[in-house]
Amino acid sequence: LLLGSVSPPMMDDDTEPNSSGSASSDEEDDEDLHDDDDDDDDEGGEGPVEQEGPRECLPAPAPLTTGFNLWSVLKNALGRDLNSITLPATINQPLSVLQCAAEEMEYAELIEEGLSKPTSLERLLYVAAFALSPYSSAQRRVHKPFNPILGETFELVQEGRYRILSEQVSHHPPVTAWHSSGQTAEREYSFYGEIELRNKFWGKTAELIPVGSLHLDVPSLGEHFSWNKAKVAVHNLILGSIWANINGEIVVRNHKTQEYASLSILRASSKDTVGAVTGTVHEAGGQVVYRLAGNHLTGITAELDAAAPAHHPAPP
């Protein structure tokens, strides 16, 4: 019952309220209710304690994914788009697609460090590393994020460094867009993109194909970089340990200088061999200057190509 939502009792014109009337009873009832609230506050203590700094763990454990037959849900989805299938919420990770989009900026220091370099090829080298950085947590994040509703937004602000805003701009097909503005001691930059995540289910494996592009603008240099995302195959959806197999070609291009980096994430044959990366950074004419190798889960190294022109500096 909402207080104040009930009309007072009707009285005759010649009747006057007194101390024993209903009006005074209502007041006494209100006082009793307020007294009860005060008692609850006293018993409840000081309330929740505000946490200082970012949290180090989620406020609740991950839900159990047992208790239902996933195959009974997926058996009719062979060869189809999983976005059209209703799946149990317990198989999701406790994040939305918009929050995952904001995680593209997790290693923003690669942009910040790269923009301090004096040559365009060195800057391209760091942007190429930044393009690979979102895959660093792939093996720990194999569960599906929640789908946002159309028009839903998420904003993340790192004071003094950058802010990023992501939005669900289409529901069918699902398309996520984001824009981030950041600054270093010397320059400002913008990082933005839009991705439609297409998928197919093939029985034991789901294939995720990102369609779209990512962009980095540096106005003070007049440089604009763009690149694509790699494909993802998620194995053992029905039985066994789930693992993500990221693979494909990524091309990072500096549209001002026409220099580019060609990156290959090798398709793994098992969970123990995931993450291998090779790549090259090229001058506008196609000459290889730097070679990259490593694993996107642990780290990437670069070295000057043996045939590179002598005036190019060695990578860090």
Side-chain angles (χ1 to χ4, degrees):
L1 179 66
L2 296 177
L3 295 179
S5 64
V6 180
S7 301
M10 300 297 292
M11 294 184 295
D12 296 335
D13 293 341
D14 58 350
T15 303
E16 296 181 0
N18 54 52
S19 60
S20 62
S22 60
S24 117
S25 298
D26 290 344
E27 291 176 358
E28 291 175 0
D29 292 342
D30 289 348
E31 290 177 359
D32 292 342
L33 286 172
H34 290 309
D35 290 341
D36 292 342
D37 291 341
D38 293 339
D39 293 341
D40 291 342
D41 291 342
D42 292 340
E43 293 176 0
E46 299 179 356
V49 178
E50 292 187 5
Q51 177 177 321
E52 295 183 1
R55 66 187 184 186
E56 297 180 355
C57 63
L58 293 172
L64 296 175
T65 56
T66 58
F68 61 89
N69 187 345
L70 187 59
W71 175 246
S72 66
V73 178
L74 296 178
K75 64 183 180 181
N76 296 322
L78 289 174
R80 294 174 58 189
D81 185 344
L82 289 179
N83 289 318
S84 62
I85 305 298
T86 300
L87 298 173
T90 52
I91 71 170
N92 289 10
Q93 56 177 297
L95 294 171
S96 76
V97 171
L98 301 179
Q99 290 170 297
C100 293
E103 291 178 356
E104 293 281 337
M105 289 293 289
E106 181 177 1
Y107 293 96
E109 60 265 26
L110 291 170
I111 295 179
E112 297 164 353
E113 178 69 17
L115 296 186
S116 68
K117 298 303 178 184
T119 69
S120 58
L121 274 174
E122 287 179 286
R123 293 192 289 271
L124 177 59
L125 188 61
Y126 275 86
V127 175
F130 176 75
L132 290 170
S133 65
Y135 306 119
S136 62
S137 61
Q139 290 309 309
R140 301 188 299 274
R141 306 284 292 282
V142 294
H143 291 281
K144 173 184 174 295
F146 282 93
N147 291 329
I149 61 175
L150 179 62
E152 182 179 345
T153 62
F154 175 79
E155 183 177 30
L156 172 66
V157 178
Q158 294 286 349
E159 294 292 345
R161 295 183 63 199
Y162 66 84
R163 65 188 302 162
I164 182 170
L165 177 68
S166 54
E167 179 180 352
Q168 192 73 2
V169 296
S170 174
H171 191 58
H172 292 296
V175 179
T176 303
W178 65 90
H179 185 279
S180 175
S181 56
Q183 60 182 18
T184 68
E186 302 172 347
R187 310 187 192 282
E188 295 181 348
Y189 65 89
S190 296
F191 167 60
Y192 54 94
E194 70 290 323
I195 291 293
E196 174 194 347
L197 192 60
R198 299 176 183 174
N199 62 77
K200 287 291 180 66
F201 175 61
W202 302 112
K204 296 180 180 180
T205 301
E207 185 178 21
L208 310 178
I209 306 171
V211 178
S213 57
L214 293 78
H215 305 265
L216 176 67
D217 276 335
V218 189
S220 61
L221 296 172
E223 293 185 344
H224 173 81
F225 301 85
S226 69
W227 62 94
N228 61 293
K229 300 284 285 183
K231 296 184 295 183
V232 183
V234 182
H235 298 281
N236 297 343
L237 286 175
I238 307 301
L239 294 174
S241 177
I242 299 177
W243 59 284
N245 191 354
I246 299 170
N247 62 93
E249 303 294 323
I250 300 175
V251 177
V252 184
R253 190 176 300 277
N254 184 332
H255 293 271
K256 177 184 178 181
T257 64
Q258 297 305 310
E259 297 161 340
Y260 64 97
S262 180
L263 310 171
S264 297
I265 304 179
L266 307 182
R267 189 177 184 90
S269 58
S270 69
K271 184 177 180 179
D272 298 327
T273 60
V274 297
V277 175
T278 62
T280 50
V281 177
H282 302 253
E283 292 181 324
Q287 172 68 47
V288 176
V289 178
Y290 297 113
R291 293 191 177 275
L292 296 87
N295 190 297
H296 65 69
L297 298 174
T298 55
I300 306 294
T301 59
E303 61 180 14
L304 195 64
D305 185 74
H311 65 275
H312 289 294

